[in-house]
Amino acid sequence: MMIQHATGMIRKASTALLLLLVIHSPGSGQESSEADRPLKPPKGYRSETMLKAAYALGFLDLIDREPPVPSNIRAWKDIVYKEVDTITLKLDIYRKTELKDPAPILIFIHGGSWSGGERSDYLPYLIDYAEKGYVTVTVSYRLSGVAQYPAAVEDVKCAVKWIRSHAEAYSIDPERIALVGGSAGGHLAMMVAYADEKVFGGACNNGTGEKVKAIVNLYGPADLTSEDARNHSKVRQFLGKGYQDAPELYRISSPRTHISRDDPPTLIFHGTLDSTVPVGQSDSLHRWLNIAGVPNEYHRLKGWPHTMDLSQKVNAYCQYYMDAFFKEHL
């Protein structure tokens, strides 16, 4: 009986060890093209199943999504920047209390397939970058269940205009603005950054100018005419029509359509296990930006899924390169 019990324990230990070896296999790391970077990307996983197993076993550490606001950070909450069709749209601002000079600003745009999500979703980034000396802002926009395209694009453009026109009140440098968006928020950030100022800009009266100096796109779709996008229910809901009925609508709502040489430098992050927004979207974006001559940097993280920056290690990696990017371009 004791021998059988010991054999069973060894078998279980061996199985657990094998699972760990598979999960953390060296072959699941980043491609060699990243090898010369100062900070190497964290090792990913062979599949979403392996990632879920790692999380279940306690090997995947996630960031705190609701961190407390430090006492040295001042927060202005629920500021109304736009009212449309009885809907009130708000934004939040975070700033280090000891800052005296006008600081560069980072505007965060939440994801949620254009149909969900909240501006508070980016609180960890908002606090981290306020601590680093930036003024950080997060904005709400009309979701697709309330108003379809181009409402969300117009709202974010209006938010940028509002922030620029109220820069002095919050000690903001209006000429040093960057947009940061994830998933659907990445799409909206690209649309605002790449589209001409005359496009989608007539729905607000607050201030002028929505041009920004830099953009960070975290796994956002750049081409809604691709097969994966045009067959996605959330894209159809966002646009209000199917591709067969309105191919031009899908084209004009795609950031790739608006890329031109004078677009702001772009930093891209995407995981190869992304089953929500396929990594091919960012592969193509990187190529199109290069063709247009737009400065860009692409981090293709092997073995990581959608919303990969919820991982502590991936989040630290993203912030490391965001820090360098903002230092260079803001």
PDB file of all heavy atoms in Angstrom, residues 4 39 117 131 146 164 190 200 261 268 272 306:
ATOM      1  N   GLN A   4       2.334   1.677  -3.430  1.00  0.00           N
ATOM      2  CA  GLN A   4       1.340   2.191  -4.376  1.00  0.00           C
ATOM      3  C   GLN A   4       1.088   3.676  -4.145  1.00  0.00           C
ATOM      4  O   GLN A   4       0.956   4.468  -5.090  1.00  0.00           O
ATOM      5  CB  GLN A   4       0.034   1.406  -4.215  1.00  0.00           C
ATOM      6  CG  GLN A   4       0.137  -0.037  -4.708  1.00  0.00           C
ATOM      7  CD  GLN A   4      -1.169  -0.780  -4.490  1.00  0.00           C
ATOM      8  OE1 GLN A   4      -2.033  -0.337  -3.718  1.00  0.00           O
ATOM      9  NE2 GLN A   4      -1.296  -1.913  -5.146  1.00  0.00           N
ATOM     10  N   LEU A  39      15.085  45.100 -23.221  1.00  0.00           N
ATOM     11  CA  LEU A  39      14.233  44.274 -22.376  1.00  0.00           C
ATOM     12  C   LEU A  39      13.552  43.232 -23.252  1.00  0.00           C
ATOM     13  O   LEU A  39      12.790  43.566 -24.154  1.00  0.00           O
ATOM     14  CB  LEU A  39      13.175  45.125 -21.672  1.00  0.00           C
ATOM     15  CG  LEU A  39      12.205  44.365 -20.761  1.00  0.00           C
ATOM     16  CD1 LEU A  39      12.963  43.755 -19.590  1.00  0.00           C
ATOM     17  CD2 LEU A  39      11.099  45.279 -20.261  1.00  0.00           C
ATOM     18  N   GLY A 117     -17.237  48.114 -21.941  1.00  0.00           N
ATOM     19  CA  GLY A 117     -16.061  48.727 -21.347  1.00  0.00           C
ATOM     20  C   GLY A 117     -16.383  50.053 -20.691  1.00  0.00           C
ATOM     21  O   GLY A 117     -17.431  50.656 -20.939  1.00  0.00           O
ATOM     22  N   GLU A 131       2.143  59.081 -12.033  1.00  0.00           N
ATOM     23  CA  GLU A 131       3.308  58.998 -11.148  1.00  0.00           C
ATOM     24  C   GLU A 131       4.596  59.337 -11.898  1.00  0.00           C
ATOM     25  O   GLU A 131       5.546  59.875 -11.322  1.00  0.00           O
ATOM     26  CB  GLU A 131       3.417  57.589 -10.555  1.00  0.00           C
ATOM     27  CG  GLU A 131       2.320  57.237  -9.557  1.00  0.00           C
ATOM     28  CD  GLU A 131       2.709  57.561  -8.128  1.00  0.00           C
ATOM     29  OE1 GLU A 131       3.512  58.475  -7.924  1.00  0.00           O
ATOM     30  OE2 GLU A 131       2.188  56.883  -7.225  1.00  0.00           O
ATOM     31  N   VAL A 146     -25.859  52.351 -28.357  1.00  0.00           N
ATOM     32  CA  VAL A 146     -26.493  53.667 -28.221  1.00  0.00           C
ATOM     33  C   VAL A 146     -26.441  54.442 -29.528  1.00  0.00           C
ATOM     34  O   VAL A 146     -27.440  55.032 -29.968  1.00  0.00           O
ATOM     35  CB  VAL A 146     -25.792  54.487 -27.105  1.00  0.00           C
ATOM     36  CG1 VAL A 146     -26.347  55.899 -27.043  1.00  0.00           C
ATOM     37  CG2 VAL A 146     -25.944  53.780 -25.769  1.00  0.00           C
ATOM     38  N   ARG A 164      -7.541  70.033 -25.333  1.00  0.00           N
ATOM     39  CA  ARG A 164      -6.638  71.058 -25.855  1.00  0.00           C
ATOM     40  C   ARG A 164      -7.119  72.461 -25.465  1.00  0.00           C
ATOM     41  O   ARG A 164      -6.322  73.326 -25.089  1.00  0.00           O
ATOM     42  CB  ARG A 164      -6.530  70.937 -27.376  1.00  0.00           C
ATOM     43  CG  ARG A 164      -5.404  71.775 -27.976  1.00  0.00           C
ATOM     44  CD  ARG A 164      -5.439  71.691 -29.506  1.00  0.00           C
ATOM     45  NE  ARG A 164      -5.198  70.335 -29.977  1.00  0.00           N
ATOM     46  CZ  ARG A 164      -3.990  69.808 -30.133  1.00  0.00           C
ATOM     47  NH1 ARG A 164      -2.917  70.512 -29.826  1.00  0.00           N
ATOM     48  NH2 ARG A 164      -3.855  68.580 -30.583  1.00  0.00           N
ATOM     49  N   MET A 190      -6.415  55.177 -33.527  1.00  0.00           N
ATOM     50  CA  MET A 190      -5.858  55.276 -34.876  1.00  0.00           C
ATOM     51  C   MET A 190      -6.731  56.127 -35.778  1.00  0.00           C
ATOM     52  O   MET A 190      -6.219  56.923 -36.573  1.00  0.00           O
ATOM     53  CB  MET A 190      -5.671  53.881 -35.472  1.00  0.00           C
ATOM     54  CG  MET A 190      -4.529  53.096 -34.855  1.00  0.00           C
ATOM     55  SD  MET A 190      -4.187  51.526 -35.710  1.00  0.00           S
ATOM     56  CE  MET A 190      -5.548  50.504 -35.131  1.00  0.00           C
ATOM     57  N   PHE A 200     -15.018  63.450 -39.745  1.00  0.00           N
ATOM     58  CA  PHE A 200     -15.667  63.087 -38.485  1.00  0.00           C
ATOM     59  C   PHE A 200     -15.526  64.160 -37.416  1.00  0.00           C
ATOM     60  O   PHE A 200     -15.714  63.873 -36.238  1.00  0.00           O
ATOM     61  CB  PHE A 200     -15.086  61.785 -37.910  1.00  0.00           C
ATOM     62  CG  PHE A 200     -14.862  60.712 -38.928  1.00  0.00           C
ATOM     63  CD1 PHE A 200     -13.598  60.220 -39.172  1.00  0.00           C
ATOM     64  CD2 PHE A 200     -15.918  60.198 -39.647  1.00  0.00           C
ATOM     65  CE1 PHE A 200     -13.379  59.223 -40.110  1.00  0.00           C
ATOM     66  CE2 PHE A 200     -15.718  59.201 -40.588  1.00  0.00           C
ATOM     67  CZ  PHE A 200     -14.452  58.715 -40.813  1.00  0.00           C
ATOM     68  N   ARG A 261       1.812  59.919 -44.908  1.00  0.00           N
ATOM     69  CA  ARG A 261       3.176  60.159 -44.456  1.00  0.00           C
ATOM     70  C   ARG A 261       3.257  61.062 -43.228  1.00  0.00           C
ATOM     71  O   ARG A 261       4.171  60.926 -42.405  1.00  0.00           O
ATOM     72  CB  ARG A 261       3.999  60.770 -45.602  1.00  0.00           C
ATOM     73  CG  ARG A 261       5.450  61.099 -45.231  1.00  0.00           C
ATOM     74  CD  ARG A 261       6.223  61.609 -46.431  1.00  0.00           C
ATOM     75  NE  ARG A 261       6.409  60.556 -47.404  1.00  0.00           N
ATOM     76  CZ  ARG A 261       7.402  59.667 -47.379  1.00  0.00           C
ATOM     77  NH1 ARG A 261       8.281  59.699 -46.398  1.00  0.00           N
ATOM     78  NH2 ARG A 261       7.506  58.743 -48.298  1.00  0.00           N
ATOM     79  N   ILE A 268       3.152  49.808 -31.533  1.00  0.00           N
ATOM     80  CA  ILE A 268       2.169  48.729 -31.662  1.00  0.00           C
ATOM     81  C   ILE A 268       2.564  47.544 -30.785  1.00  0.00           C
ATOM     82  O   ILE A 268       3.721  47.129 -30.769  1.00  0.00           O
ATOM     83  CB  ILE A 268       2.081  48.242 -33.125  1.00  0.00           C
ATOM     84  CG1 ILE A 268       1.897  49.415 -34.094  1.00  0.00           C
ATOM     85  CG2 ILE A 268       0.947  47.233 -33.293  1.00  0.00           C
ATOM     86  CD1 ILE A 268       2.208  49.067 -35.541  1.00  0.00           C
ATOM     87  N   THR A 272       0.474  36.890 -30.424  1.00  0.00           N
ATOM     88  CA  THR A 272       0.209  35.942 -31.514  1.00  0.00           C
ATOM     89  C   THR A 272      -0.930  34.977 -31.201  1.00  0.00           C
ATOM     90  O   THR A 272      -1.440  34.314 -32.108  1.00  0.00           O
ATOM     91  CB  THR A 272       1.471  35.126 -31.838  1.00  0.00           C
ATOM     92  OG1 THR A 272       1.862  34.367 -30.680  1.00  0.00           O
ATOM     93  CG2 THR A 272       2.619  36.029 -32.262  1.00  0.00           C
ATOM     94  N   HIS A 306      -5.263  38.210 -26.423  1.00  0.00           N
ATOM     95  CA  HIS A 306      -5.889  39.524 -26.340  1.00  0.00           C
ATOM     96  C   HIS A 306      -5.835  39.994 -24.889  1.00  0.00           C
ATOM     97  O   HIS A 306      -5.827  39.186 -23.963  1.00  0.00           O
ATOM     98  CB  HIS A 306      -7.340  39.412 -26.806  1.00  0.00           C
ATOM     99  CG  HIS A 306      -7.942  40.700 -27.265  1.00  0.00           C
ATOM    100  ND1 HIS A 306      -7.468  41.399 -28.350  1.00  0.00           N
ATOM    101  CD2 HIS A 306      -8.997  41.412 -26.794  1.00  0.00           C
ATOM    102  CE1 HIS A 306      -8.202  42.487 -28.529  1.00  0.00           C
ATOM    103  NE2 HIS A 306      -9.120  42.521 -27.589  1.00  0.00           N
TER     104      HIS A 306
END
